[in-house]
Amino acid sequence: MYASNLYAPTLREVPAEAEIPSHQLMLRAGFIRKAAGGVYTYLPLAWRTLRKIEQIIREEMDAAGGQEIAMPIMQPSELWKESGRWEVFGDEMFKVNDRHGREFCLGPTHEEIITDLVRNEIRSYKQLPVLLYQIQNKYRDEIRPRFGLMRGREFIMKDLYSFDKDESGLDISYQKMYDAYTNIFNRCGLVFRPVEADGGAIGGSNTHEFTALAQTGESEIAVCTKCDYAANNEKAELALIEAPAETELALEKVATPDTKTIEAVIEYLNLPIEKSIKAVAFEDEHDRLICAFVRGDHEVNEVKLQNAVEAVSLRMADENVITAAGGVAGFMSPIGLDRKKAVVVVDQSVMAMKNACCGANEADKHYINANPQRDFGEAIVKDIRLIAAGDPCPHCGAPVEITRGIEIGQVFKLGTKYSNAMHAGFLDENGREKPFVMGCYGIGVSRTMSAAIEQLHDENGIIWPKAIAPYEVAIVPINAKDEAQMELAETIYQALKNAHVDVLLDDRKERAGVKFKDADLIGYPVRITIGPKAINEDNIETKVRKTGEIFNFTKENYLVKVQELLQDL
Amino acid sequence: MYASNLYAPTLREVPAEAEIPSHQLMLRAGFIRKAAGGVYTYLPLAWRTLRKIEQIIREEMDAAGGQEIAMPIMQPSELWKESGRWEVFGDEMFKVNDRHGREFCLGPTHEEIITDLVRNEIRSYKQLPVLLYQIQNKYRDEIRPRFGLMRGREFIMKDLYSFDKDESGLDISYQKMYDAYTNIFNRCGLVFRPVEADGGAIGGSNTHEFTALAQTGESEIAVCTKCDYAANNEKAELALIEAPAETELALEKVATPDTKTIEAVIEYLNLPIEKSIKAVAFEDEHDRLICAFVRGDHEVNEVKLQNAVEAVSLRMADENVITAAGGVAGFMSPIGLDRKKAVVVVDQSVMAMKNACCGANEADKHYINANPQRDFGEAIVKDIRLIAAGDPCPHCGAPVEITRGIEIGQVFKLGTKYSNAMHAGFLDENGREKPFVMGCYGIGVSRTMSAAIEQLHDENGIIWPKAIAPYEVAIVPINAKDEAQMELAETIYQALKNAHVDVLLDDRKERAGVKFKDADLIGYPVRITIGPKAINEDNIETKVRKTGEIFNFTKENYLVKVQELLQDL
């Protein structure tokens, strides 16, 4: 490719809305342009990178036994009503009516379509397993699309669905995908961790998120400092703490004027925070009042809480609802709450506390010497808190660290959730009807491109991993009007092209400084400079974008040397 | 690929709704499955063929200077309102509201998006021409989706847009695309004609349709029997006829009881049909009454009529509206029609008639000896009739034939329609603001696959052109339980694969008859049979699907011979 023909309009100024480096750099370097909130056009450079990522995915999916298909983006509502998800997805799903008034959605995911497809075709266990995938636009009407391609409303996903005859078959399919994902993200040059995660709205009992480590990521993950445990902090489990060998004292109500926060209470009572109990009240989608209690220094994990009470969504509770249940906002405890009007959920570590302080359900009053086992009455006891740095790893007990990342892939065991709901089954070895045991496996293709930029860039621009760079090598003649320079540049360009190097020649009649800046901004892994030194001294200066290293090659050895350089990148 | 792993469920019975061979065969051979009316899932075999077609398109677009991008499917309404097409597309456009009530459509085409993209980036004539394309799902809410992928509501298109600084630049871009399309459809193995066509709703003054010849096609085209003129029959022009040297007689009103059709009138009056004038009345989108008159043996061409009166759509006129304009349905002529209430359009060949018969705008009455030049009064005179077999070619005068075809591609000169409407311009050599001169160029990718099947199939199934066959060669061991057969089949499979032949091994434990039938149905260009003859007599039977020819190769020569065979296909 000649840069003079390349449609890659670079920008000097970045639109203010671009908050993170990948968004800023893809706008500046002419990779993407916004068409609407969360909806983008991919320009030639971005499209080249995306197609390289897609090809890597395709090769690994095929190697793992996947077959590529293409399902419709427009999906009839009937299938979603059959699975029960038409309402569940709510406003996040784009809905369309056709001219006859028939309802469709723009596919946010394809479990329904694929289950319908397979249930009409596969009748025997002999035909299993089946692994089908596609790479396609997906649609989610995010409340607040942001961060460029990171959280878009139209985005590219690879989704594979596996159908097995039993759980052990699913285990094999799951492991195949887990391994394929590891290969894919390694080949893309990303630093990532597969982390245990929560099933969420799609359902599924066992799932890993593949998370690219990056400080700008929206996921918080807990990583063990000793073993290989890593989990999304929504999921990360906490071990039971043993109760201290302390004598239980008598419950006592004390006045605590103007102490609506935990910090105020412990200061007033001069207690360590580990002796205090914090309350947070929610309402769920059925308007149930859910009162959660964790230790004063802990935070409620809403995902765990939601799972504990089998709720689909939680919102902060209205004060009137708390009052109606006998609670007093700011001074709430399980003691005295009307269990007919409030579901009480107590974190397991609270149950190990002795002689603690908690609200008295009376304004400006707290209890001291509360002993949850003795005093709290009817409650759901579960692990409902967020893991924090220093908490013990649930596998080995060593302290965990909390780090941030970008979810770029997820593997899910769906089990029979969809095959049961949609009556999708086959005949087993004994001629008995069985539901398919399913898995689903997604990769955010456009998000993977963003994640690569978040991981590797500097103040001058993007630094592409070689495998997914739009071009591997850029040749920059210093003076495009100098015939000798242009002739040598062209010779090198053709030689590299013939050696199957993905190369670009910047033949634009711009100043050298502009071309160097653009090369750094776009982030080609290797840049070859053709100036007077190359002509007069046979010095073909070759720079590695990532390290800044400069190599001086010659007309005789550059072809071998540049290829060696690329191999090592 | 091993057939035992291939997801290609074949059907014995074809759903009744499949009316044409491509639809029937793609269902039977396991290429596609319907998800909703006009919305399909592409299974692995179809997807392989589609990807081969896409790759051919991509190579030719790149060779012609095109750059691949990907624009959004979800398009904000603002741009369509700017171009004035939000209302024009009407019910054919799928519309979506997001959670904030903002309007979008699912792109039926991308002129607005690309014009918006380029107007924000290209400022100078030095940056032109620019040719950008994409391959993507498109959406049109057809009233009656049918014929499988031929007329779908979600379908795959390649669309390229060219931006030039002037008309002569556009001429070059247009010719590049015209040539690239010729290459593409030749490489795909199709029999096609580029035909002159009408601009239609997208606009544009100069356009060709690439039409695959097939009796099941929805397009009628007129093809000269002598020169290379070919045109869509909506477009095909007709030369002026000279008026006969006949004396004009006096207009006379005669009784013609019960003669509401032309056939009845000419029989009753014992006149040749060439002496009669036929009337057809329409209303347009502004409820204007449009009365069209053609010779009794001719048909009204609605597209030409629409262009003649600058209407966007026509419907049959209501009888009351005709009456209100002084007309009598069944007995209508221009004579006596109220020109304030009716637009009269007379075909140019009618104006060359003398002493003709036409309605008298009175029940059961006709005029004879009507002389349009003398008697018809105010009228728009234009070529508004459909060409018919035997009509003279507008280029050379030789008779034309009427044949049918499938529109698989179209090249359009848009000119400045969109750049003017959307204020998209650049500065020319003299620093003056100029609008981009645009072209657009589409290929129906999924429709091209259908067209290939319509052109080439037999009672046993599809016959794929080699370049777009899902696999080029199928190896069929007669007995999958016979170790020697399977071993030889595997050896041949690996050898062909290593020689970059796209090959499938049918290792299924089915009867040979079933496998042969499936091979014919799916339509692999070459089938290699491995049975006892291959083992015992070194006879590697190789059959060409298209011709039925059988070649007997040996273990020593098959590798060379099969590749030679493929080269000649």
Side-chain angles (χ1 to χ4, degrees):
Chain A
M1 172 58 75
Y2 295 93
S4 59
N5 295 332
L6 179 69
Y7 190 75
T10 53
L11 299 178
R12 277 174 220 290
E13 309 242 328
V14 181
E17 70 186 69
E19 298 170 50
I20 60 168
S22 61
H23 190 190
Q24 293 165 348
L25 289 170
M26 278 194 278
L27 286 171
R28 277 183 57 201
F31 278 66
I32 59 170
R33 288 296 179 260
K34 180 173 154 183
V39 179
Y40 290 87
T41 290
Y42 305 108
L43 299 183
L45 290 173
W47 194 241
R48 287 185 71 85
T49 290
L50 287 169
R51 283 181 49 80
K52 286 186 180 183
I53 297 171
E54 284 184 11
Q55 189 52 31
I56 291 170
I57 291 174
R58 200 165 264 138
E59 286 168 16
E60 295 294 337
M61 290 297 106
D62 291 349
Q67 293 182 66
E68 190 170 357
I69 64 174
M71 289 180 273
I73 286 174
M74 248 183 73
Q75 305 185 2
S77 62
E78 289 84 348
L79 295 175
W80 287 79
K81 287 175 179 163
E82 206 182 331
S83 76
R85 288 207 294 179
W86 185 251
E87 299 303 333
V88 173
F89 257 83
D91 286 344
E92 211 176 290
M93 190 148 78
F94 285 109
K95 291 175 182 165
V96 193
N97 286 327
D98 74 4
R99 66 198 304 155
H100 308 298
R102 199 172 161 192
E103 287 176 309
F104 292 82
C105 70
L106 302 185
T109 176
H110 278 74
E111 282 82 7
E112 280 79 1
I113 292 273
I114 195 116
T115 305
D116 179 56
L117 183 75
V118 169
R119 74 174 160 183
N120 291 317
E121 310 284 5
I122 291 194
R123 295 301 304 143
S124 161
Y125 72 97
K126 288 184 198 158
Q127 296 167 278
L128 299 175
V130 166
L131 285 75
L132 299 171
Y133 75 97
Q134 60 178 357
I135 301 175
Q136 186 187 62
N137 275 358
K138 290 276 187 287
Y139 294 83
R140 292 199 192 159
D141 197 357
E142 297 279 352
I143 298 185
R144 202 184 143 219
R146 56 193 159 149
F147 303 146
L149 306 186
M150 210 69 101
R151 189 164 287 279
R153 298 199 288 176
E154 177 179 83
F155 54 96
I156 306 173
M157 255 189 79
K158 185 284 305 180
D159 43 333
L160 183 142
Y161 304 87
S162 67
F163 295 83
D164 278 284
K165 60 179 181 171
D166 53 25
E167 286 290 335
S168 65
L170 172 57
D171 287 343
I172 294 169
S173 295
Y174 189 88
Q175 190 60 43
K176 273 187 187 168
M177 285 301 120
Y178 186 101
D179 295 342
Y181 277 36
T182 304
N183 294 344
I184 288 164
F185 296 124
N186 276 330
R187 286 180 62 185
C188 287
L190 292 171
V191 181
F192 66 95
R193 287 290 287 260
V195 303
E196 293 180 13
D198 182 77
I202 280 184
S205 51
N206 198 337
T207 167
H208 285 87
E209 286 171 2
F210 284 75
T211 304
L213 304 183
Q215 280 315 309
T216 48
E218 291 189 284
S219 304
E220 268 189 301
I221 57 176
V223 179
C224 180
T225 50
K226 199 169 148 205
C227 77
D228 65 357
Y229 178 79
N232 188 305
N233 78 337
E234 290 177 343
K235 160 80 176 180
E237 296 152 31
L238 285 149
L240 259 177
I241 311 174
E242 269 181 53
E246 205 177 304
T247 311
E248 295 187 353
L249 305 177
L251 188 67
E252 189 181 334
K253 195 185 287 180
V254 297
T256 52
D258 296 328
T259 54
K260 280 210 160 190
T261 67
I262 280 290
E263 291 68 26
V265 174
I266 57 171
E267 200 191 323
Y268 185 86
L269 295 174
N270 196 21
L271 284 173
I273 194 162
E274 296 80 12
K275 280 285 187 191
S276 69
I277 297 169
K278 181 157 67 182
V280 193
F282 299 89
E283 288 177 81
D284 74 0
E285 73 280 9
H286 302 299
D287 302 327
R288 283 191 303 173
L289 175 64
I290 316 281
C291 300
F293 298 91
V294 294
R295 222 168 68 180
D297 56 334
H298 292 161
E299 297 298 331
V300 172
N301 179 326
E302 285 190 38
V303 171
K304 287 182 182 173
L305 178 62
Q306 214 166 292
N307 291 340
V309 298
E310 292 178 1
V312 168
S313 68
L314 296 176
R315 61 181 191 274
M316 295 313 287
D318 191 274
E319 197 162 331
N320 296 328
V321 176
I322 298 172
T323 310
V328 174
F331 301 91
M332 195 164 57
S333 81
I335 303 166
L337 272 186
D338 181 350
R339 297 305 202 265
K340 290 199 186 98
K341 293 182 176 162
V343 180
V344 171
V345 191
V346 181
D347 183 57
Q348 59 184 20
S349 57
V350 168
M351 296 310 276
M353 293 171 78
K354 283 201 174 158
N355 303 320
C357 158
C358 65
N361 284 326
E362 243 177 81
D364 295 337
K365 295 277 165 64
H366 275 82
Y367 285 119
I368 56 171
N369 300 333
N371 286 283
Q373 301 270 11
R374 179 190 70 189
D375 302 326
F376 275 10
E378 187 190 329
I380 296 171
V381 176
K382 280 268 167 72
D383 168 16
I384 60 159
R385 77 167 173 101
L386 272 182
I387 202 165
D391 271 329
C393 166
H395 286 190
C396 76
V400 300
E401 286 175 344
I402 303 296
T403 180
R404 302 191 74 85
I406 300 158
E407 185 197 330
I408 46 179
Q410 187 155 17
V411 289
F412 260 103
K413 288 189 182 173
L414 294 170
T416 56
K417 179 180 160 106
Y418 295 95
S419 45
N420 276 332
M422 297 178 68
H423 306 289
F426 61 96
L427 297 177
D428 73 3
E429 292 86 336
N430 305 309
R432 278 180 311 209
E433 187 80 25
K434 286 271 178 71
F436 295 115
V437 181
M438 293 170 55
C440 74
Y441 315 87
I443 290 181
V445 178
S446 37
R447 192 185 269 190
T448 296
M449 173 164 72
S450 294
I453 299 175
E454 289 299 329
Q455 286 197 341
L456 217 53
H457 63 271
D458 61 18
E459 64 283 10
N460 298 318
I462 304 170
I463 303 172
W464 285 112
K466 179 189 57 174
I468 62 172
Y471 295 94
E472 294 171 312
V473 175
I475 303 169
V476 182
I478 287 186
N479 181 355
K481 289 171 190 157
D482 182 309
E483 269 184 38
Q485 286 182 27
M486 285 308 285
E487 198 179 307
L488 178 57
E490 181 70 29
T491 304
I492 294 175
Y493 173 68
Q494 294 299 344
L496 288 172
K497 251 181 80 160
N498 292 338
H500 304 293
V501 174
D502 197 13
V503 60
L504 172 133
L505 170 53
D506 194 347
D507 59 336
R508 294 177 301 160
K509 293 186 178 61
E510 298 279 358
R511 285 180 298 110
V514 169
K515 296 202 275 192
F516 289 153
K517 273 207 166 139
D518 280 355
D520 281 354
L521 179 59
I522 292 169
Y524 308 110
V526 170
R527 189 187 82 200
I528 297 175
T529 307
I530 305 296
K533 273 201 244 172
I535 304 299
N536 304 326
E537 301 165 32
D538 194 18
N539 178 354
I540 297 176
E541 198 183 281
T542 303
K543 187 178 164 190
V544 174
R545 173 76 178 88
K546 187 173 174 180
T547 59
E549 281 172 292
I550 291 176
F551 298 89
N552 298 313
F553 297 146
T554 65
K555 289 192 193 80
E556 200 168 326
N557 72 9
Y558 78 88
L559 188 55
V560 174
K561 292 289 186 184
V562 167
Q563 291 183 78
E564 281 174 11
L565 208 57
L566 283 170
Q567 242 162 23
D568 295 343
L569 278 185
Chain B
M1 171 57 77
Y2 294 93
S4 60
N5 295 332
L6 178 70
Y7 190 75
T10 53
L11 298 178
R12 275 175 221 288
E13 310 243 328
V14 181
E17 71 187 66
E19 298 170 49
I20 60 169
S22 62
H23 190 191
Q24 293 166 349
L25 288 170
M26 279 194 278
L27 286 171
R28 277 183 56 201
F31 278 66
I32 58 171
R33 287 296 179 261
K34 180 175 156 181
V39 179
Y40 290 87
T41 290
Y42 305 107
L43 299 184
L45 289 173
W47 194 240
R48 288 185 71 84
T49 289
L50 288 169
R51 283 181 51 78
K52 287 187 180 184
I53 297 172
E54 284 183 12
Q55 188 53 31
I56 290 171
I57 292 174
R58 200 166 264 137
E59 286 168 15
E60 295 294 337
M61 290 296 106
D62 290 349
Q67 293 183 64
E68 191 171 356
I69 64 174
M71 289 180 272
I73 287 174
M74 248 182 74
Q75 306 185 1
S77 62
E78 289 83 349
L79 295 176
W80 287 79
K81 287 175 180 164
E82 204 182 333
S83 75
R85 289 207 295 179
W86 184 251
E87 299 302 333
V88 173
F89 256 83
D91 286 344
E92 209 177 289
M93 191 149 78
F94 285 109
K95 291 174 181 165
V96 194
N97 287 328
D98 75 3
R99 67 198 306 155
H100 308 297
R102 200 172 160 192
E103 287 176 311
F104 292 82
C105 70
L106 302 186
T109 177
H110 278 74
E111 282 82 7
E112 281 78 2
I113 292 273
I114 195 115
T115 304
D116 178 56
L117 183 75
V118 169
R119 72 173 162 184
N120 291 318
E121 310 284 4
I122 291 195
R123 295 300 304 142
S124 161
Y125 71 96
K126 289 184 199 157
Q127 294 167 279
L128 299 174
V130 166
L131 285 76
L132 299 171
Y133 75 96
Q134 60 177 357
I135 301 175
Q136 186 188 62
N137 275 359
K138 290 276 184 291
Y139 293 83
R140 291 198 191 159
D141 196 357
E142 297 280 351
I143 296 185
R144 201 183 145 219
R146 57 194 157 148
F147 302 146
L149 307 186
M150 210 68 100
R151 190 163 287 279
R153 298 199 289 176
E154 177 180 83
F155 54 97
I156 306 173
M157 255 189 78
K158 185 283 304 178
D159 43 333
L160 183 142
Y161 304 87
S162 67
F163 295 84
D164 278 283
K165 61 179 178 168
D166 53 25
E167 286 290 335
S168 65
L170 171 58
D171 287 343
I172 295 168
S173 295
Y174 189 88
Q175 190 60 43
K176 273 187 187 167
M177 284 301 120
Y178 187 101
D179 295 341
Y181 277 36
T182 304
N183 294 344
I184 287 164
F185 296 125
N186 276 330
R187 286 180 62 186
C188 286
L190 291 171
V191 181
F192 66 96
R193 287 290 286 262
V195 303
E196 294 180 13
D198 181 78
I202 280 185
S205 52
N206 198 336
T207 167
H208 285 86
E209 286 171 3
F210 284 75
T211 303
L213 304 184
Q215 280 315 309
T216 48
E218 290 189 284
S219 303
E220 267 189 301
I221 58 176
V223 180
C224 179
T225 49
K226 199 169 149 204
C227 76
D228 65 357
Y229 178 78
N232 189 305
N233 77 337
E234 291 176 342
K235 160 81 176 177
E237 296 152 29
L238 285 149
L240 260 176
I241 310 175
E242 269 178 54
E246 204 174 303
T247 311
E248 295 187 354
L249 304 177
L251 188 69
E252 189 182 333
K253 194 184 287 180
V254 297
T256 53
D258 296 330
T259 54
K260 280 210 161 189
T261 66
I262 281 290
E263 290 70 25
V265 174
I266 57 168
E267 200 190 323
Y268 185 84
L269 295 176
N270 194 24
L271 286 173
I273 194 161
E274 296 81 12
K275 282 284 187 190
S276 66
I277 298 170
K278 181 158 65 182
V280 193
F282 300 89
E283 288 176 82
D284 76 357
E285 72 280 10
H286 302 300
D287 302 327
R288 284 191 302 172
L289 175 64
I290 316 280
C291 300
F293 298 92
V294 295
R295 221 168 68 180
D297 57 333
H298 292 162
E299 298 298 330
V300 172
N301 179 327
E302 286 190 36
V303 172
K304 287 183 184 175
L305 179 61
Q306 214 166 291
N307 291 339
V309 298
E310 292 178 1
V312 168
S313 68
L314 296 176
R315 61 181 191 275
M316 294 314 286
D318 192 274
E319 197 162 332
N320 296 329
V321 176
I322 298 173
T323 309
V328 174
F331 301 90
M332 195 165 56
S333 82
I335 303 167
L337 274 186
D338 181 350
R339 298 304 202 264
K340 292 200 186 99
K341 293 182 175 162
V343 179
V344 171
V345 191
V346 181
D347 183 57
Q348 58 184 21
S349 56
V350 167
M351 295 312 275
M353 292 172 79
K354 284 200 173 158
N355 303 321
C357 157
C358 64
N361 284 326
E362 243 178 80
D364 295 337
K365 294 276 163 67
H366 276 81
Y367 286 117
I368 55 171
N369 299 333
N371 285 283
Q373 301 268 13
R374 181 189 70 189
D375 302 325
F376 276 11
E378 187 190 328
I380 296 172
V381 176
K382 279 268 168 73
D383 168 16
I384 60 161
R385 76 167 173 100
L386 272 182
I387 202 165
D391 271 328
C393 165
H395 285 190
C396 77
V400 301
E401 286 177 344
I402 304 296
T403 180
R404 300 191 74 84
I406 300 158
E407 185 198 329
I408 47 181
Q410 188 156 18
V411 290
F412 259 103
K413 288 189 184 174
L414 294 171
T416 56
K417 179 181 159 107
Y418 295 95
S419 44
N420 275 332
M422 297 178 69
H423 306 289
F426 62 96
L427 298 177
D428 72 4
E429 291 86 337
N430 306 310
R432 278 180 312 210
E433 187 80 25
K434 285 272 178 71
F436 295 116
V437 182
M438 294 171 54
C440 75
Y441 315 86
I443 290 180
V445 179
S446 37
R447 193 185 269 190
T448 295
M449 173 163 72
S450 294
I453 299 175
E454 289 299 329
Q455 287 196 340
L456 218 53
H457 63 269
D458 61 18
E459 64 282 10
N460 298 319
I462 303 170
I463 302 171
W464 284 111
K466 179 190 59 175
I468 62 173
Y471 295 94
E472 295 170 310
V473 175
I475 303 169
V476 181
I478 285 186
N479 181 357
K481 288 171 189 157
D482 181 310
E483 270 183 37
Q485 286 181 27
M486 286 307 284
E487 199 179 305
L488 178 57
E490 181 69 30
T491 303
I492 294 175
Y493 174 68
Q494 293 300 343
L496 288 172
K497 250 180 82 159
N498 292 338
H500 304 292
V501 173
D502 197 13
V503 60
L504 173 133
L505 171 52
D506 194 346
D507 60 336
R508 293 176 303 160
K509 293 188 179 59
E510 299 280 357
R511 284 180 298 110
V514 169
K515 296 201 274 191
F516 289 153
K517 274 207 165 139
D518 280 354
D520 280 353
L521 179 60
I522 291 169
Y524 308 110
V526 170
R527 189 187 83 201
I528 297 175
T529 306
I530 305 296
K533 274 201 243 173
I535 304 300
N536 304 327
E537 302 164 33
D538 194 17
N539 178 354
I540 297 177
E541 198 182 282
T542 303
K543 186 178 163 190
V544 174
R545 174 74 178 89
K546 188 173 174 182
T547 59
E549 281 172 292
I550 291 176
F551 298 89
N552 298 313
F553 298 147
T554 66
K555 289 192 193 81
E556 200 168 325
N557 72 9
Y558 79 88
L559 188 54
V560 174
K561 292 288 187 185
V562 168
Q563 290 183 77
E564 282 174 8
L565 208 56
L566 285 171
Q567 244 162 20
D568 296 342
L569 276 185

